[in-house]
Amino acid sequence: SYELTQPPSVSVSPGQTARITCSGDALPKQYAYWYQQKPGQAPVLVIYKDSERPSGIPERFSGSSSGTTVTLTISGVQAEDEADYYCQSADSSGTCWVFGGGTKLTVL
Amino acid sequence: EVQLVESGGGVVQPGGSLRLSCAASGFTFDDYAMHWVRQAPGKGLEWVSLISGDGGSTYYADSVKGRFTISRDNSKNSLYLQMNSLRTEDTALYYCAALHIVVVTAPYWGQGTLVTVSS
């Protein structure tokens, strides 16, 4: 079955830039979405359609795509950004959703 | 204001059944494909099922195929998930989500309902 691969963890100091990658064979054809999830809370969409930011999401969150890899970039990381981040896309048919395993972002 | 409100979760014994509901408001329901996504305690997000806007097409993850049935009632702006032959590994927080059929926009998500399968 189709999989999206994320690093289990990323650590950065406050004010630095965090980059979280997500790899999958169908990513050149399917849009990617990124979710932030803090403990005990529902996931919050931070990026959709590879690089679009929903209203209310800070400008420090951005997304990009290159070939089979998409990247969530958080510039000027703040302590409040510490959370689990999940990428999501669709299979090659564009119907069934697929999630990455999640990346725990630690702000040192 | 867009709202997706899940209900119907609870505690059920292995082999039992449960029906989840998701009430939608604030958007044109039948313009949206609807998904169920779950998250087991301490685990990641797992896609469960999808139904098209008119209800004519349904898709399932291999882990639930043959046991779960997704349906919708567009006259009631409601989504359902009938879960049969429940297993302990089905224990999770179940979210409903909506994605526009034509325009690529931000999907809507609910807050989830908890299903616990335990003897």
Side-chain angles (χ1 to χ4, degrees):
Chain A
S1 61
Y2 180 52
E3 294 182 349
L4 295 175
T5 301
Q6 298 179 235
S9 62
V10 168
S11 299
V12 296
S13 299
Q16 290 190 328
T17 296
R19 293 181 179 85
I20 300 173
T21 60
C22 173
S23 299
D25 289 341
L27 286 175
K29 295 176 290 184
Q30 303 296 338
Y31 286 120
Y33 301 75
W34 288 94
Y35 295 89
Q36 176 195 69
Q37 189 177 37
K38 297 181 179 179
Q41 298 182 18
V44 173
L45 182 75
V46 294
I47 294 290
Y48 69 99
K49 201 179 174 182
D50 290 347
S51 60
E52 299 291 323
R53 198 172 47 251
S55 60
I57 299 302
E59 290 184 6
R60 63 180 182 273
F61 288 88
S62 63
S64 61
S65 176
S66 179
T68 59
T69 299
V70 294
T71 302
L72 173 68
T73 300
I74 310 171
S75 304
V77 167
Q78 301 181 7
E80 66 196 52
D81 299 331
E82 186 165 283
D84 292 327
Y85 290 84
Y86 295 91
C87 65
Q88 177 250 307
S89 187
D91 62 9
S92 56
S93 70
T95 50
C96 303
W97 283 3
V98 181
F99 289 92
T103 298
K104 181 174 181 58
L105 175 67
T106 300
V107 181
L108 301 170
Chain B
E1 179 193 7
V2 170
Q3 278 199 314
L4 290 172
V5 180
E6 302 93 337
S7 61
V11 180
V12 61
Q13 292 188 337
S17 297
L18 213 55
R19 189 194 196 206
L20 305 184
S21 299
C22 170
S25 60
F27 62 98
T28 305
F29 187 63
D30 53 5
D31 283 346
Y32 286 74
M34 297 298 297
H35 297 258
W36 286 101
V37 175
R38 68 183 181 183
Q39 186 170 35
K43 302 296 184 182
L45 298 169
E46 179 189 16
W47 175 79
V48 173
S49 185
L50 156 70
I51 188 166
S52 60
D54 63 3
S57 299
T58 57
Y59 305 85
Y60 300 92
D62 288 342
S63 57
V64 306
K65 201 172 295 183
R67 300 187 299 123
F68 290 11
T69 302
I70 190 172
S71 62
R72 64 191 294 163
D73 185 338
N74 287 350
S75 69
K76 296 181 179 178
N77 287 355
S78 293
L79 172 73
Y80 307 101
L81 186 67
Q82 178 66 44
M83 304 186 296
N84 298 331
S85 303
L86 282 162
R87 306 167 179 168
T88 54
E89 55 264 37
D90 295 318
T91 294
L93 192 57
Y94 284 74
Y95 297 98
C96 64
L99 187 65
H100 199 280
I101 294 169
V102 176
V103 180
V104 182
T105 62
Y108 305 132
W109 282 60
Q111 291 297 305
T113 186
L114 181 62
V115 172
T116 303
V117 184
S118 173
S119 55

